[in-house]
Amino acid sequence: MLAAMPLPPTTTPSGDETPVRGRDDACPGALRLHPADDGSLARIRVPGGLLTARQAAALGRLAEELGDGRLDITSRGNLQVRGLDTGCGAELAARLRAAGLLPSDRRDRVRNIVASPLSGLDGGGHADVVAWVRKLDAVLCDDTPAGGAELSGLSGRFLFALDDGRGDVAALGADVTLIATPDGGAVLRVGGPPPGPDVAPPSTGAARPDAAGRRGSRTAGSAVGGGLRVRGENAPRAAALAAAEFLAKARESGTRAWRVRELPARHAVTTGGLAARLADAGVETVSVEHESAPRARATPPGPGPVPGPDGRHALSIALPLGRVSAAQWRLLAALASRSGAAELRMTPWRGVVLPGFAPDDTRGALAELSDAGLVTTPGSPWLGVGVCTGRPGCAKSLADVRADTARMVADPALRTSGTGRGAADPAPGASGTAWSDPLPVYVSGCERRCGHPGGRWVDALATGDTDYRVTVRGAKEDTPEADSADSVHSVDVTAEQLAGAVAAARGTT
């Protein structure tokens, strides 16, 4: 049986429309709780998905004592706690501050940073981007005029991606992306190509910034695609300056845009404009273009041990539907404490990486995780399957999609899916077992399809309490908002028939 691709993180529609926002975004945070049918929800930003073992343990206690005991990992490697009492906000904030997870009240919701989760662990990539995560987060939390004071205007949806050169998070359609290059530098990209299986990395053949000086830094350019090369030590600051350029363009457009893709074409961030802003800040740049030939889709590692060049192993674990119980989270935190790194990394694929294990300790740790119901080997039917909150947590949902999805995954009919599709090529430098490539599946309780993946995917949309419409999505002319009944690959089924319909859709080429 072929293993499923891990579910791609949340991505965006094509963006032909230019919305004019009449309000700030309503994304929840640690201080801005979101009222839901199952209690209030807090979204805790964790830049780069990086937690110490102590922080992980504190979050587990917080979820048990203030929430419903469960934790959800989001498509940006952040955490959500549900079932909170409406009056617990002050205690929640105090606990997060004590754990070092709320360094700035004012900047709580802008700290959206995804990073290559295996960076510095498996010998892949061109740089360890953990240092970039720390530096960029420090700038985002700096309220001084000399720091990142203006960045408090970023929406809670704006996203930074820091890629170590392997191409994993560079494909996620972030607003600002840094990609490490072999010579110790970085390529800065704003907007960039949409996510998908054929994302071309920027060329690294241009001259180094220190050799080229500021050549071309003030020439007019088209919207940033290939990007700008910067020195590695300047990369986090350059990313922050790119966000400042977006804010200037958003103010200029009058649209109150939340994301780069929402800017009108006449107010797009351009290579020339961005290079000029960086030059004024003393950051040297060189413009680069895309390579002509696209690479295969970069893939995260499969579940299991990931050997490192230092003789230590990381453990890659997938969480069924991105949710863990209190007991499962306690186990993850305890294992993080027992490892040499005392660290836990959450991934944009709703998984966890535990670094720092001696090779002889990996088998026992993976057995504990598997016994607890977490995914530790390739081939699990949970891989590549995602779902929204559904009932009872969301009032808009037409069905209990999590229960229906669990029954779908347990149905043997689902395990026949994907046999008509080839395995994806592993990303250059990727470790672990490569995933094979049947279509990812996302089950949604309403037409908003919150958290749905990008690229080509199977859309299982609830149309009633026990009914679904299954559609293959991802064609250029197709959007989830279009009427599913118009799709060639659309079929209406009951919840009991969902596994067979999804398996058939996954075999569609």
Side-chain angles (χ1 to χ4, degrees), residues 33-349:
L33 304 186
H34 173 73
D37 272 20
D38 58 350
S40 293
L41 176 153
R43 184 173 297 160
I44 301 163
R45 265 65 177 186
V46 184
L50 302 171
L51 290 170
T52 65
R54 182 183 67 85
Q55 289 174 327
L59 285 167
R61 291 191 297 271
L62 184 153
E64 286 191 88
E65 296 168 13
L66 300 183
D68 64 8
R70 298 174 295 181
L71 288 161
D72 293 339
I73 296 183
T74 76
S75 61
R76 295 179 169 196
N78 294 319
L79 272 176
Q80 287 187 166
V81 180
R82 303 188 68 93
L84 295 165
D85 185 82
T86 54
C88 77
E91 183 178 356
L92 173 68
R95 287 190 178 207
L96 292 174
R97 291 188 194 100
L101 292 166
L102 187 57
S104 170
D105 287 8
R106 190 180 177 204
R107 307 304 182 84
D108 168 36
R109 298 186 315 116
V110 308
R111 301 169 64 230
N112 295 303
I113 305 172
V114 295
S116 299
L118 290 182
S119 189
L121 301 179
D122 66 344
H126 303 310
D128 185 347
V129 298
V130 170
W132 286 359
V133 172
R134 306 292 190 203
K135 291 178 181 177
L136 177 56
D137 188 36
V139 174
L140 292 176
C141 293
D142 187 351
D143 270 329
T144 65
E150 61 186 314
L151 299 182
S152 62
L154 292 173
S155 80
R157 300 173 188 259
F158 194 91
L159 180 63
F160 296 89
L162 310 185
D163 192 295
D164 68 1
R166 73 185 69 215
D168 51 2
V169 299
L172 303 188
D175 296 282
V176 174
T177 301
L178 286 173
I179 306 171
T181 54
D183 60 358
V187 170
L188 172 67
R189 193 174 71 200
V190 177
D198 298 319
V199 177
S203 169
T204 57
R208 290 178 55 90
D210 52 3
R214 302 187 183 186
R215 182 180 59 196
S217 64
R218 292 187 178 273
T219 58
S222 60
V224 173
L228 296 169
R229 288 195 65 181
V230 298
R231 296 183 186 184
E233 61 267 29
N234 291 333
R237 186 175 174 220
L241 289 166
E245 180 71 4
F246 158 76
L247 286 173
K249 292 295 184 180
R251 288 191 298 269
E252 182 182 289
S253 71
T255 61
R256 301 183 68 178
W258 296 341
R259 304 289 306 273
V260 167
R261 71 174 188 272
E262 295 175 355
L263 291 172
R266 64 185 178 279
H267 296 290
V269 176
T270 64
T271 303
L274 179 57
R277 179 178 288 269
L278 267 63
D280 289 342
V283 177
E284 298 175 347
T285 65
V286 172
S287 179
V288 296
E289 301 297 333
H290 283 296
E291 292 176 350
S292 56
R295 285 181 183 168
R297 174 170 31 197
T299 59
V306 182
D310 60 354
R312 310 293 289 185
H313 283 50
L315 306 182
S316 175
I317 306 108
L319 313 184
L321 306 184
R323 175 172 288 178
V324 289
S325 67
Q328 290 171 326
W329 187 261
R330 280 197 302 270
L331 175 59
L332 289 166
L335 288 172
S337 296
R338 282 158 44 185
S339 76
E343 178 183 303
L344 182 153
R345 299 185 181 187
M346 298 179 294
T347 80
W349 296 273

